[in-house]
Structures are given as structure tokens and as C-alpha cells.
Amino acid sequence: MTTPLLDVPLLDVRGLSIALPPGADRPLAVDNLTFTLNPNEILCVVGESGSGKSMTAHAMMGLLPAPHVRVAGGSLLFKGRDVLTMPEAEQRSLRGGRIAMVFQEPMTALNPLMRVGRQIGESLREHTTLPPAARRARVVELLAQVGLPNPAELADAYPFRLSGGQRQRVMIAMALACQPDILIADEPTTALDVTTQKQILDLIRAIQAERHMGMMFITHDFGVVAEIAHRVAVMRHGKLVEYGAASDVLNRPQHPYTRQLIASVPHYIEHRDDHTKSGAPLLVAERVRKVFQVGGGLFRKSKPVVAGDDLSLTIHPGETVGLVGESGSGKSTLGRSIVGLIKPDSGRILFEGTDLLALDRKGFRPYRRLVQMVFQDPYASLNPRHRVGDIVAQGPVAFGEDRGRALARARELLAMVGLDGSAADRYPHEFSGGQRQRIGIARALAMEPKLLVADEPVSALDVSVQGQVLELLDDIRKRLNLAMLFITHDLRVAAQVCDTIAVMRRGKIVELGTAREVFTHPRDAYTRSLLDAIPGKAWHIPDDLQTAKAEAH
Amino acid sequence: MMKSDFWRAFARNKGAVLGLVILTAIVVLAAFASVLFPGDPWDMATAPFQPPLSEGAPLGSDMLGRDIASGIAHGARVSLLIGLTSTAAALAIGVTLGALAGFHGGRIDDAIMRFTELFQTIPNFVLAVVLVAIFTPSLTTIVAAIAVVSWPPLARLARAEFLSLRTREFVQAAITTGQSNSSIILRQILPNSLSPIIVSASLMVATAILLESSLSFLGLGDPNAMSWGYMIGAARTVIRQAWWMSVFPGLAIVLTVLALNLVGEGLNDALNPKLARSRG
């Protein structure tokens, strides 16, 4: 390595400002941002949604949606030369050549109609003079380096044949093709399951160490930061609020916002005291089985996919049962079967002794009230054309409640979930994600249910909002003695709110026990691998923040 | 608030505003036809084959001395009436069938879509001609024939919207809160699927006007109603002696259809959330 490289940082961002179009919620997406990235270092840029962390990366890669969003000031120096003032052709050779990027969503980042090998070969063709045969050899070599099995065969595969984790590996191989100096990774593991996330993080760390690249890793998850960061930059509303070595920021955060963010990170070692089960079980699921028929038509046979097999589970009044598993494990299938959105093929679901599956439409109707659901996506779960008050009141009205009374009750419930009185007259789009989720909870409570099925209720929310919604759910559960089935992919969240945990894998429950048992003495190998994959488990949230959090409860 | 957003998005498209102005002018012309041109447009007003700008016939007269300008004004009524009512009828058939197919899925969907395809395989215009010819031409049969040939695309559109909205979480929430199917279809899904349906309906009015003109051109129009298509049809034999007889009604059709298309496009810009930048 030559000396000038040590003096000049690989990337030097000075006073970067990015302007949003007029009418946006703030004038600048990124406001006077200054940081450096050195060779052989991982810089984690952390922030919640809308903090401008991705915008910074996009500015570097020329991906800003011009002309609406543009760089308003500052400079982006790559090895001392300003990327923003370079001629377009030079910028292009930098991108993909010297600076490469890995995107968040592996499912859409690959061209579905192009073979994997050709997609990786594209940047080699663009930036090198390698002949086709050598390109091909390099592609296979790259695929092997990112740990994909049968690289030669895989190079000829189309993206749809690969899993999410495999696609993300292909994306990384593509980024590495020209041996870049800087790798920008924009939430590369957010869309992945926790065990896959761990593998990808390990891979990224290994590759970075081996090639001494400078890496800018964008994430919202402090667990991930604790896993891989050398240095950390915390962003909020487009401004840099804290910047320093990873150990300092993680263990001795200075800025109040960083402290608040770290305090709201759910931590898996905290689990609840054992719940004392009382009375007859509220809900018993017995050997529930559901097979989906995929594809098929008039002349084609459909393919059976087992979403749930032999699922048995008991929920007592006041108990919160967590259903934990990775995507496709069948956890939502069970939840939806209980609220009657899906009809299982066999098994029994007993609610206070009555088999819900044996009832017809009319017979099931009274039970609709008693079992309510909180949905995952706060942006899709509220009808955009209805007023919030109507949304909450619609259920009781459908059950014959007087409309005026139902609306009055809706206002009370909205107040109960922490929204002010005027909320009832507004439309969903005027609310933030966390507020919408509160509306969804109020809608479920309006029916006066005994059991609440919450399907990933916080997975679409930022971590600080996540904490608030979880607290609200917990508070309501205690006040109304509600039983809850809490479906989540995040073990840290499950640890926080669940009394009993059922771990699902490929349509089966592989472990069922109290939260304490499952987290301290997991019996099943899969549960152990899930616990092992939790990012940042070696990091302990600073004690002063832990106590601050305990007091807030 | 949502309303002002809508107008801002609509007004951003200058063509749409122009279209709206033209359309308003045509509607005013149709509404005040009997005031502007009192008397029956079928009556003789002046000498036959008078060129434009002559006494009693500003746009000329036809071979029977009827006033072309009066015919265009009264014809606007018929054209707009047929365009709007037949589109309304097509909407009623298409959206109902499409909504049922999309909401229920499965066998109901299969049955309705095969039925729709049956209509789509028959050429529109031929079917309309046959229907009108069988049931003797009158305003009612023309409207019915145009509606019968134009509902299938609306049904497909409504079905696609319902299929995708049905799986949205707010619809599932409506199911879990015990709302009836009809209330879910009418109150939850339909308002959310209206935007693309309104857009294609506005374009369909233009198609319906063209269809009516074509039918009248072939002599299958309502014999008691003056219409633009009839005027062009009657003028075709004398097009070399009296160009004004076909040019002015033709211009009226072009302007109306153009205006409707411009308005439709503007509606698409304003109602399509993917294009409307102000919403988020």
C-alpha cells in the first residue's frame, strides 16, 4: 500500500446537502453531512426510516431521482477527487468499478430474465477488457468466493431458482466483480431471515477483511451494528448526530437520540417471569393441518404445499403465546386459521370448548367478535378512503350496534391507544406508521375480544416506535386481561412480550415452552441456531440505558 | 384537502384543462340547442346546398335546405346522451360482473370470465350492427347495443382491481370484524377501485360516441333523432358538391372525442396514485 492512501481517506464527504422537492416534509433530505471512510474499515450508518441514510449512498452512486432530488451543496471526495463534479463518463467508470453497491431487496435487484452469470459478467464487460472466456472463469470464481454451491452450474441459472439469501450472495459477487475500493451496502440483510442474515453478515465481514475494502454499511438495526461495525455514524432527520468508534457509540452513547435508539433495542436476554396459567384454556388448537394448492388450472395439476402440519397449541386467558419462525414457516397460516381467514384441512380449533372449524358461516359469526386480529402492514390494513372513526366503529356497527354509540366508543378507544380526539375525523394517510398501528389495535379492541391475534404487528415499524407499540399492547393486555397470540420472526421482540413461545419451522412446531425455558435452555437444534443468529448478542446494552428503560416500563 | 390535491394534479396536465373547456362548450351547446336554434333541425330552414356563412345557415345547408349548425347543436344532445347512458349501462354490467368475479374467485370467477371472453371474441361493431338491426333502430336499442358490446373491458378491469384489493389487509380486517360481503364489496373495495374505472369510463364515452356515429352512418341510427353520424352518412353522396355537410359534423365528433380523451388522460394523472406525486 502506498503512503498517500493512508493520508487521504478513501471517501471524504464534506458538508453534503441533498435538497428535496418543494412540498416535502423537510427542505433537505441530508443536511450538511460530513464523514470519512478509510480503507479497510466498516462504517455503519444507522438511522430510522427517513433519516437520509440511503440518500447519501444514492448520491454517491448517482441514483438520486433527478431532477426532484438533487445535491444542494458540499462535496464527495473519492481518493481526493470530487465525484459530483467529475464528467459523467468518469463517474460511470467509478460506479461499479471502484465503488460498488449491494441493495436491500435481493428479490427485485436481479433482472429476472437474465442468467445470473451474465448479470455478474456485465460489469466485467463494462469495466475490464477481459475476453469472454476469462470473464466466465472470473464469474465462476466470484460465485465460489461468496460461498455458493456448484458455482459453474449456478452461473447458468435464472434468479427465480435462487433463495433470498443466495440472491443476496449473487448481488455481493456482482459488486465484487471489479474489485472495488468501496462497497456500499444498503440494508443488505433487512429482507432476509435471521439465520440467513447471520450467514450474509459473516460473509460480508470475511470479504471485507480479506480485501481491505472500505465499506459503508447502512442499517437500522443496532444488533447488526454491534456485529460488524468499526465506526458508526448515527443519522436523524438528515443530520449526523453522533459519529465515532463502534465501541464508543455502542457502549457510551453521548447524544440523547442515540441513547434513546439504543434503549429501545429489544434485547433477547430479558424475558418475562413465568406466567401462571389459570382456569380453563381459552383456545386449544389440535393437530391443525393446512395444505395450499399452488398453481394448477383446467388441465394442469396443482402442487400441494404444506403450510401447517400437526399444529397443536393452547392459550389461556391473559397469556401471551409467541409464534416464532422464519418466513414460510407457516406461522401466519395458524394465526389466520384461528381468526377464520383460512379454513384448515383438518384438525380442531376449540375456543372455550366450541370447535370453530365445525361451524358454518352463520355459526362462526358470534366468534368473530371474540377473536380479533392486528395486522402487519399499517399502510395496507386501513382503508384509505374511510375516516379513522368509521374504521374503528365499522365492526360493532356490523354487529348491530347503534352508529352514534359505536362512534363515541371509537373515540374513547382512540384515546386509550394514545391518539387525540381529533383523530377520528381524519383519514389514515395523515398518520405515521406507528399511529396507524395504534388505530389497527383500536379497531380490534372495539369488538371487545377475548383473544387478540397479532401478526407481526411491529415488523414494519422503526425501532423506537416498535417499543412504544409493544408497550401499548402489553398495557392493554394487562388492563383487559386479553389473551394474545403474537406472531413474529424476531426473537428479540418475542422475548420481550411473550409468556410462552412456540418455534415453527417448515409448517411444524419444533419447540414449545415458557419463554424462560426456550431462551435459556433451548432443546431443539433449530431453536439454538435461531438464538445463535440473533445479531449483536455479544453486545450488552449499557447498564444506565437498561435501567432507564426499566423505569419507563 | 384531497379535493384540492385532485384539482392541482388535474390542472398540471394542460391538455386535460383544454379538454375540459372544449367538453364544457359542447355540453353548453347541447343544453341550449333549442334556445340557439329554435325549431326542428329536420325542418327546411333555407335553400338547399347553401355554402357556409350564408343567410339563415351559418355552416351551410344540406340537400333538403336543413341548417347544418342546428343539426350539430341538436346532434350534440343525441351524441352526448348516447355516449353517457351507454357508458353508464356498460359500467353497471361490467363492474357488477367484474366485482363478483374478483371478489369471489374460484368457480364464480371462472364462469364469469368465460362469459366475458365469449363477448370479447365477437367483433364489437359487427355485434352492435346485428343487435340494432334485429331490434329496430331507436335510441334505446342503440344504447343497449353499445352497452352490450363495450362492458367486457370494464369487467376485466374491475376484476383485476378486486382481485388485488381483496387480499389487502384492510379487507381482511373487514372480514374479521364481521362485515357482510355486500358491505365489503360496496364500502371497502369499490371506492378504492374507482379511479382506474372512472378513467376508462371517460374514454369509453368517446368510443360510444364513435360507435353511435358509425351506426348512424350506416343508416342504423334512430330515424327521429338528428345525430352527427347520420349527417355525415347523408353527406357522403354529395361530398364533392357540399364539403361543409360532412366536414362540420366530422369536426364536432373529432373535437368531442379528443376532449374526452384529454379529460380521461388528466383524470388518469390525477387519480392514479402512482403518478400523483403530491400523495404519499
Side-chain angles (χ1 to χ4, degrees):
Chain A
M1 204 160 280
T2 48
T3 31
L5 266 183
L6 293 174
D7 299 328
V8 182
L10 206 47
L11 184 73
D12 190 355
V13 178
R14 291 188 191 162
L16 180 72
S17 291
I18 299 173
L20 286 171
D25 58 345
R26 60 173 195 254
L28 294 175
V30 171
D31 188 356
N32 198 12
L33 183 67
T34 300
F35 67 85
T36 56
L37 176 66
N38 299 316
N40 198 13
E41 129 178 300
I42 299 182
L43 171 72
C44 270
V45 181
V46 199
E48 297 189 289
S49 50
S51 62
K53 53 192 195 305
S54 290
M55 282 285 187
T56 314
H58 284 189
M60 222 172 290
M61 298 301 285
L63 290 173
L64 291 181
H68 311 297
V69 178
R70 58 192 171 76
V71 174
S75 53
L76 271 171
L77 305 177
F78 173 73
K79 290 184 178 171
R81 300 195 51 215
D82 193 349
V83 178
L84 299 171
T85 55
M86 268 179 205
E88 180 65 31
E90 221 170 310
Q91 284 188 32
R92 263 206 307 276
S93 75
L94 211 61
R95 286 172 205 140
R98 310 281 26 101
I99 309 179
M101 186 159 176
V102 178
F103 294 89
Q104 172 173 3
E105 194 45 83
M107 291 311 193
T108 53
L110 289 171
N111 184 340
L113 293 179
M114 214 191 257
R115 290 175 200 276
V116 165
R118 248 194 82 200
Q119 297 197 44
I120 301 175
E122 292 248 291
S123 68
L124 287 172
R125 208 182 60 204
E126 201 62 41
H127 296 288
T128 66
T129 51
L130 289 178
R135 282 211 300 264
R136 162 91 196 175
R138 176 99 180 98
V139 164
V140 173
E141 188 192 322
L142 280 165
L143 288 172
Q145 275 171 11
V146 295
L148 285 165
N150 299 330
E153 211 172 289
L154 213 89
D156 292 324
Y158 284 100
F160 76 91
R161 289 185 36 202
L162 310 183
S163 70
Q166 287 176 324
R167 289 188 208 197
Q168 201 57 298
R169 284 172 194 267
V170 170
M171 286 301 296
I172 293 171
M174 203 186 283
L176 294 177
C178 298
Q179 302 195 299
D181 299 317
I182 299 180
L183 183 63
I184 300 172
D186 188 358
E187 305 249 14
T189 58
T190 306
L192 304 175
D193 279 325
V194 57
T195 47
T196 321
Q197 161 167 292
K198 183 179 163 58
Q199 293 162 7
I200 297 288
L201 287 179
D202 288 346
L203 173 72
I204 286 178
R205 202 168 31 195
I207 285 174
Q208 187 276 331
E210 192 186 299
R211 303 185 174 218
H212 309 292
M213 282 184 299
M215 182 159 177
M216 183 172 152
F217 193 104
I218 297 168
T219 182
H220 66 279
D221 188 340
F222 265 102
V224 172
V225 175
E227 286 283 316
I228 63 163
H230 298 141
R231 279 197 303 150
V232 180
V234 183
M235 287 183 73
R236 184 197 197 186
H237 301 326
K239 292 196 178 73
L240 189 67
V241 298
E242 187 153 359
Y243 178 50
S247 56
D248 287 339
V249 175
L250 288 171
N251 299 322
R252 288 173 293 282
Q254 300 301 319
H255 194 278
Y257 177 67
T258 318
R259 295 175 65 85
Q260 181 209 331
L261 269 187
I262 290 181
S264 48
V265 170
H267 212 259
Y268 90 104
I269 32 177
E270 26 172 309
H271 50 73
R272 294 196 187 187
D273 298 334
D274 288 357
H275 174 80
T276 39
K277 288 172 188 169
S278 55
L282 183 68
L283 183 113
V284 181
E286 277 178 9
R287 310 186 62 94
V288 173
R289 179 181 165 85
K290 174 73 192 175
V291 179
F292 285 108
Q293 301 293 332
V294 177
L298 211 47
F299 304 107
R300 270 174 303 147
K301 255 193 102 163
S302 54
K303 209 178 91 196
V305 173
V306 180
D309 189 14
D310 199 12
L311 302 176
S312 299
L313 175 86
T314 309
I315 305 175
H316 284 82
E319 184 187 7
T320 301
V321 176
L323 205 50
V324 182
E326 297 187 302
S327 53
S329 61
K331 53 191 194 303
S332 287
T333 304
L334 182 56
R336 273 154 204 265
S337 302
I338 291 171
V339 292
L341 284 172
I342 291 178
K343 188 115 184 148
D345 301 318
S346 64
R348 297 202 300 167
I349 294 177
L350 303 169
F351 187 87
E352 292 181 329
T354 317
D355 186 4
L356 298 181
L357 301 183
L359 298 171
D360 58 4
R361 221 182 126 84
K362 219 169 148 192
F364 184 67
R365 207 172 137 75
Y367 292 94
R368 286 240 185 255
R369 287 206 84 142
L370 303 174
V371 188
Q372 278 298 302
M373 183 146 179
V374 175
F375 292 86
Q376 171 175 6
D377 184 353
Y379 294 91
S381 63
L382 304 176
N383 190 333
R385 310 263 165 159
H386 289 177
R387 282 176 209 280
V388 166
D390 284 324
I391 290 175
V392 177
Q394 268 161 5
V397 170
F399 276 90
E401 176 110 347
D402 170 68
R403 205 179 124 78
R405 276 242 299 282
L407 279 173
R409 172 98 181 106
R411 281 172 199 277
E412 280 171 35
L413 284 164
L414 287 170
M416 183 170 162
V417 296
L419 295 170
D420 64 81
S422 67
D425 302 316
R426 293 193 278 160
Y427 286 93
H429 72 95
E430 297 171 51
F431 294 89
S432 69
Q435 289 173 323
R436 290 188 204 202
Q437 206 54 305
R438 286 169 192 269
I439 297 168
I441 293 169
R443 167 174 60 196
L445 294 180
M447 306 294 278
E448 292 165 3
K450 290 186 176 171
L451 173 66
L452 203 58
V453 176
D455 189 355
E456 303 261 15
V458 295
S459 62
L461 305 175
D462 277 326
V463 63
S464 58
V465 183
Q466 216 174 56
Q468 294 163 12
V469 171
L470 288 176
E471 255 167 54
L472 172 69
L473 278 173
D474 202 45
D475 176 50
I476 283 167
R477 184 190 63 87
K478 270 191 233 137
R479 262 206 271 178
L480 308 176
N481 195 31
L482 267 178
M484 189 149 76
L485 179 66
F486 193 96
I487 300 169
T488 182
H489 69 282
D490 192 335
L491 283 154
R492 294 172 292 179
V493 170
Q496 232 179 14
V497 295
C498 301
D499 304 307
T500 307
I501 291 200
V503 181
M504 281 192 75
R505 184 191 200 193
R506 295 190 193 144
K508 282 194 158 65
I509 293 179
V510 294
E511 180 152 1
L512 179 67
T514 65
R516 196 161 54 95
E517 258 172 42
V518 172
F519 281 100
T520 50
H521 301 103
R523 288 184 314 253
D524 188 80
Y526 177 68
T527 313
R528 277 198 292 275
S529 72
L530 274 184
L531 288 173
D532 192 43
I534 293 178
K537 60 188 177 306
W539 166 54
H540 291 279
I541 291 178
D543 291 335
D544 54 327
L545 291 178
Q546 288 270 37
T547 46
K549 191 175 172 186
E551 277 158 20
H553 272 284
Chain B
M1 151 122 202
M2 269 172 112
K3 225 167 215 160
S4 69
D5 271 358
F6 169 80
W7 278 112
R8 210 177 309 137
F10 186 83
R12 201 181 289 135
N13 185 336
K14 295 286 171 286
V17 178
L18 177 71
L20 196 63
V21 169
I22 300 174
L23 199 60
T24 316
I26 295 166
V27 170
V28 168
L29 180 71
F32 293 98
S34 357
V35 182
L36 292 169
F37 301 97
D40 197 331
W42 297 96
D43 285 348
M44 230 171 103
T46 177
F49 293 119
Q50 291 296 306
L53 297 178
S54 50
E55 182 67 33
L59 297 180
S61 66
D62 69 1
M63 60 280 240
L64 293 174
R66 294 178 297 216
D67 183 4
I68 297 288
S70 166
I72 285 177
H74 288 265
R77 279 186 176 181
V78 174
S79 290
L80 288 180
L81 180 78
I82 287 184
L84 291 174
T85 46
S86 61
T87 303
L91 272 175
I93 307 172
V95 174
T96 310
L97 287 179
L100 288 174
F103 183 78
H104 289 287
R107 294 222 175 114
I108 297 181
D109 182 29
D110 276 345
I112 292 179
M113 288 335 281
R114 293 304 86 79
F115 180 67
T116 309
E117 277 158 18
L118 185 72
F119 276 85
Q120 286 195 301
T121 50
I122 308 170
N124 275 356
F125 189 62
V126 175
L127 180 60
V129 166
V130 170
L131 285 174
V132 174
I134 293 173
F135 296 106
T136 64
S138 74
L139 280 182
T140 329
T141 53
I142 292 171
V143 165
I146 293 177
V148 163
V149 299
S150 32
W151 65 265
L154 287 174
R156 298 202 79 96
L157 183 66
R159 171 182 176 264
E161 286 292 310
F162 268 68
L163 267 182
S164 82
L165 285 167
R166 187 174 71 120
T167 55
R168 292 276 283 278
E169 287 185 342
F170 70 83
V171 175
Q172 302 196 327
I175 298 172
T176 59
T177 49
Q179 298 180 37
S180 64
N181 280 351
S182 59
S183 139
I184 291 172
I185 291 178
L186 293 175
R187 296 202 50 213
Q188 306 283 354
I189 307 185
L190 191 62
N192 283 293
S193 59
L194 275 185
S195 304
I197 294 176
I198 289 175
V199 171
S200 52
S202 71
L203 300 177
M204 190 161 283
V205 176
T207 323
I209 290 176
L210 286 177
L211 262 176
E212 188 276 334
S213 303
S214 314
L215 286 172
S216 300
F217 178 85
L218 291 182
L220 288 167
D222 186 327
N224 302 314
M226 177 59 78
S227 97
W228 296 338
Y230 163 79
M231 291 167 77
I232 299 175
R236 76 179 190 282
T237 48
V238 291
I239 190 158
R240 288 210 259 175
Q241 299 95 306
W243 55 268
W244 57 88
M245 278 177 62
S246 43
V247 163
F248 292 116
L251 270 178
I253 293 176
V254 168
L255 274 178
T256 314
V257 172
L258 180 72
L260 282 164
N261 276 292
L262 288 173
V263 169
E265 211 172 280
L267 284 175
N268 192 27
D269 286 358
L271 292 173
N272 191 337
K274 282 176 202 138
L275 294 174
R277 259 168 259 119
S278 55
R279 289 203 216 155

mmCIF file of all heavy atoms in Angstrom, chain B residues 188-207:
data_model
loop_
_atom_site.group_PDB
_atom_site.id
_atom_site.type_symbol
_atom_site.label_atom_id
_atom_site.label_comp_id
_atom_site.label_asym_id
_atom_site.label_seq_id
_atom_site.Cartn_x
_atom_site.Cartn_y
_atom_site.Cartn_z
ATOM 1 N N GLN B 188 -65.870 -1.156 1.159
ATOM 2 C CA GLN B 188 -64.418 -1.254 1.342
ATOM 3 C C GLN B 188 -63.671 -1.261 0.011
ATOM 4 O O GLN B 188 -62.729 -0.509 -0.182
ATOM 5 C CB GLN B 188 -64.051 -2.522 2.135
ATOM 6 C CG GLN B 188 -64.760 -2.663 3.467
ATOM 7 C CD GLN B 188 -64.167 -1.771 4.552
ATOM 8 O OE1 GLN B 188 -63.163 -1.112 4.357
ATOM 9 N NE2 GLN B 188 -64.815 -1.732 5.696
ATOM 10 N N ILE B 189 -64.078 -2.172 -0.892
ATOM 11 C CA ILE B 189 -63.256 -2.356 -2.095
ATOM 12 C C ILE B 189 -63.617 -1.373 -3.192
ATOM 13 O O ILE B 189 -62.738 -0.736 -3.774
ATOM 14 C CB ILE B 189 -63.376 -3.807 -2.621
ATOM 15 C CG1 ILE B 189 -63.066 -4.795 -1.491
ATOM 16 C CG2 ILE B 189 -62.425 -4.020 -3.776
ATOM 17 C CD1 ILE B 189 -63.040 -6.230 -1.917
ATOM 18 N N LEU B 190 -64.921 -1.222 -3.468
ATOM 19 C CA LEU B 190 -65.317 -0.414 -4.624
ATOM 20 C C LEU B 190 -64.734 1.009 -4.611
ATOM 21 O O LEU B 190 -64.160 1.440 -5.615
ATOM 22 C CB LEU B 190 -66.851 -0.393 -4.741
ATOM 23 C CG LEU B 190 -67.379 0.191 -6.055
ATOM 24 C CD1 LEU B 190 -66.895 -0.647 -7.236
ATOM 25 C CD2 LEU B 190 -68.899 0.249 -6.056
ATOM 26 N N PRO B 191 -64.823 1.743 -3.496
ATOM 27 C CA PRO B 191 -64.266 3.106 -3.526
ATOM 28 C C PRO B 191 -62.777 3.128 -3.875
ATOM 29 O O PRO B 191 -62.286 4.083 -4.467
ATOM 30 C CB PRO B 191 -64.494 3.612 -2.094
ATOM 31 C CG PRO B 191 -65.572 2.773 -1.533
ATOM 32 C CD PRO B 191 -65.433 1.442 -2.198
ATOM 33 N N ASN B 192 -62.073 2.077 -3.498
ATOM 34 C CA ASN B 192 -60.636 2.038 -3.768
ATOM 35 C C ASN B 192 -60.310 1.628 -5.199
ATOM 36 O O ASN B 192 -59.174 1.752 -5.641
ATOM 37 C CB ASN B 192 -59.943 1.079 -2.794
ATOM 38 C CG ASN B 192 -59.785 1.706 -1.432
ATOM 39 O OD1 ASN B 192 -59.040 2.659 -1.274
ATOM 40 N ND2 ASN B 192 -60.523 1.201 -0.458
ATOM 41 N N SER B 193 -61.311 1.043 -5.894
ATOM 42 C CA SER B 193 -61.013 0.593 -7.250
ATOM 43 C C SER B 193 -61.594 1.553 -8.286
ATOM 44 O O SER B 193 -61.472 1.337 -9.478
ATOM 45 C CB SER B 193 -61.587 -0.817 -7.464
ATOM 46 O OG SER B 193 -62.969 -0.795 -7.249
ATOM 47 N N LEU B 194 -62.223 2.638 -7.813
ATOM 48 C CA LEU B 194 -62.933 3.513 -8.739
ATOM 49 C C LEU B 194 -62.019 4.274 -9.697
ATOM 50 O O LEU B 194 -62.367 4.479 -10.854
ATOM 51 C CB LEU B 194 -63.794 4.513 -7.967
ATOM 52 C CG LEU B 194 -65.173 3.996 -7.573
ATOM 53 C CD1 LEU B 194 -65.971 5.092 -6.927
ATOM 54 C CD2 LEU B 194 -65.916 3.475 -8.809
ATOM 55 N N SER B 195 -60.836 4.692 -9.223
ATOM 56 C CA SER B 195 -60.002 5.562 -10.058
ATOM 57 C C SER B 195 -59.759 5.018 -11.463
ATOM 58 O O SER B 195 -60.092 5.691 -12.437
ATOM 59 C CB SER B 195 -58.671 5.842 -9.373
ATOM 60 O OG SER B 195 -58.897 6.393 -8.121
ATOM 61 N N PRO B 196 -59.190 3.810 -11.615
ATOM 62 C CA PRO B 196 -58.968 3.332 -12.983
ATOM 63 C C PRO B 196 -60.265 3.117 -13.736
ATOM 64 O O PRO B 196 -60.313 3.271 -14.960
ATOM 65 C CB PRO B 196 -58.223 2.013 -12.791
ATOM 66 C CG PRO B 196 -58.480 1.609 -11.396
ATOM 67 C CD PRO B 196 -58.708 2.865 -10.610
ATOM 68 N N ILE B 197 -61.338 2.775 -13.009
ATOM 69 C CA ILE B 197 -62.614 2.547 -13.688
ATOM 70 C C ILE B 197 -63.151 3.859 -14.243
ATOM 71 O O ILE B 197 -63.622 3.930 -15.386
ATOM 72 C CB ILE B 197 -63.629 1.889 -12.720
ATOM 73 C CG1 ILE B 197 -63.135 0.487 -12.357
ATOM 74 C CG2 ILE B 197 -65.008 1.818 -13.344
ATOM 75 C CD1 ILE B 197 -63.982 -0.242 -11.347
ATOM 76 N N ILE B 198 -63.051 4.937 -13.471
ATOM 77 C CA ILE B 198 -63.507 6.248 -13.953
ATOM 78 C C ILE B 198 -62.714 6.659 -15.191
ATOM 79 O O ILE B 198 -63.271 7.141 -16.174
ATOM 80 C CB ILE B 198 -63.337 7.313 -12.843
ATOM 81 C CG1 ILE B 198 -64.360 7.076 -11.737
ATOM 82 C CG2 ILE B 198 -63.504 8.715 -13.416
ATOM 83 C CD1 ILE B 198 -64.197 8.000 -10.555
ATOM 84 N N VAL B 199 -61.408 6.428 -15.138
ATOM 85 C CA VAL B 199 -60.562 6.809 -16.268
ATOM 86 C C VAL B 199 -60.991 6.075 -17.527
ATOM 87 O O VAL B 199 -61.195 6.679 -18.588
ATOM 88 C CB VAL B 199 -59.082 6.519 -15.947
ATOM 89 C CG1 VAL B 199 -58.235 6.705 -17.186
ATOM 90 C CG2 VAL B 199 -58.603 7.419 -14.825
ATOM 91 N N SER B 200 -61.175 4.746 -17.426
ATOM 92 C CA SER B 200 -61.511 4.055 -18.659
ATOM 93 C C SER B 200 -62.943 4.345 -19.079
ATOM 94 O O SER B 200 -63.251 4.324 -20.269
ATOM 95 C CB SER B 200 -61.237 2.554 -18.564
ATOM 96 O OG SER B 200 -61.843 2.036 -17.447
ATOM 97 N N ALA B 201 -63.811 4.661 -18.114
ATOM 98 C CA ALA B 201 -65.181 5.029 -18.486
ATOM 99 C C ALA B 201 -65.186 6.332 -19.285
ATOM 100 O O ALA B 201 -65.929 6.476 -20.247
ATOM 101 C CB ALA B 201 -66.045 5.172 -17.234
ATOM 102 N N SER B 202 -64.329 7.282 -18.892
ATOM 103 C CA SER B 202 -64.299 8.559 -19.619
ATOM 104 C C SER B 202 -63.849 8.332 -21.061
ATOM 105 O O SER B 202 -64.328 9.001 -21.979
ATOM 106 C CB SER B 202 -63.376 9.548 -18.902
ATOM 107 O OG SER B 202 -62.038 9.153 -19.056
ATOM 108 N N LEU B 203 -62.932 7.390 -21.255
ATOM 109 C CA LEU B 203 -62.513 7.085 -22.626
ATOM 110 C C LEU B 203 -63.604 6.326 -23.368
ATOM 111 O O LEU B 203 -63.753 6.438 -24.586
ATOM 112 C CB LEU B 203 -61.224 6.266 -22.610
ATOM 113 C CG LEU B 203 -60.038 6.968 -21.944
ATOM 114 C CD1 LEU B 203 -58.825 6.062 -21.911
ATOM 115 C CD2 LEU B 203 -59.706 8.263 -22.673
ATOM 116 N N MET B 204 -64.368 5.545 -22.592
ATOM 117 C CA MET B 204 -65.414 4.751 -23.227
ATOM 118 C C MET B 204 -66.542 5.620 -23.775
ATOM 119 O O MET B 204 -67.175 5.271 -24.771
ATOM 120 C CB MET B 204 -65.958 3.758 -22.211
ATOM 121 C CG MET B 204 -66.860 2.734 -22.832
ATOM 122 S SD MET B 204 -67.001 1.326 -21.766
ATOM 123 C CE MET B 204 -65.439 0.530 -22.073
ATOM 124 N N VAL B 205 -66.795 6.764 -23.138
ATOM 125 C CA VAL B 205 -67.810 7.688 -23.651
ATOM 126 C C VAL B 205 -67.432 8.073 -25.084
ATOM 127 O O VAL B 205 -68.271 8.093 -25.994
ATOM 128 C CB VAL B 205 -67.913 8.943 -22.755
ATOM 129 C CG1 VAL B 205 -68.894 9.939 -23.357
ATOM 130 C CG2 VAL B 205 -68.343 8.565 -21.353
ATOM 131 N N ALA B 206 -66.138 8.351 -25.290
ATOM 132 C CA ALA B 206 -65.676 8.715 -26.631
ATOM 133 C C ALA B 206 -65.907 7.580 -27.623
ATOM 134 O O ALA B 206 -66.409 7.797 -28.730
ATOM 135 C CB ALA B 206 -64.195 9.070 -26.567
ATOM 136 N N THR B 207 -65.581 6.361 -27.205
ATOM 137 C CA THR B 207 -65.787 5.207 -28.083
ATOM 138 C C THR B 207 -67.263 5.033 -28.411
ATOM 139 O O THR B 207 -67.628 4.730 -29.551
ATOM 140 C CB THR B 207 -65.271 3.922 -27.403
ATOM 141 O OG1 THR B 207 -64.102 4.249 -26.672
ATOM 142 C CG2 THR B 207 -64.981 2.847 -28.405
#
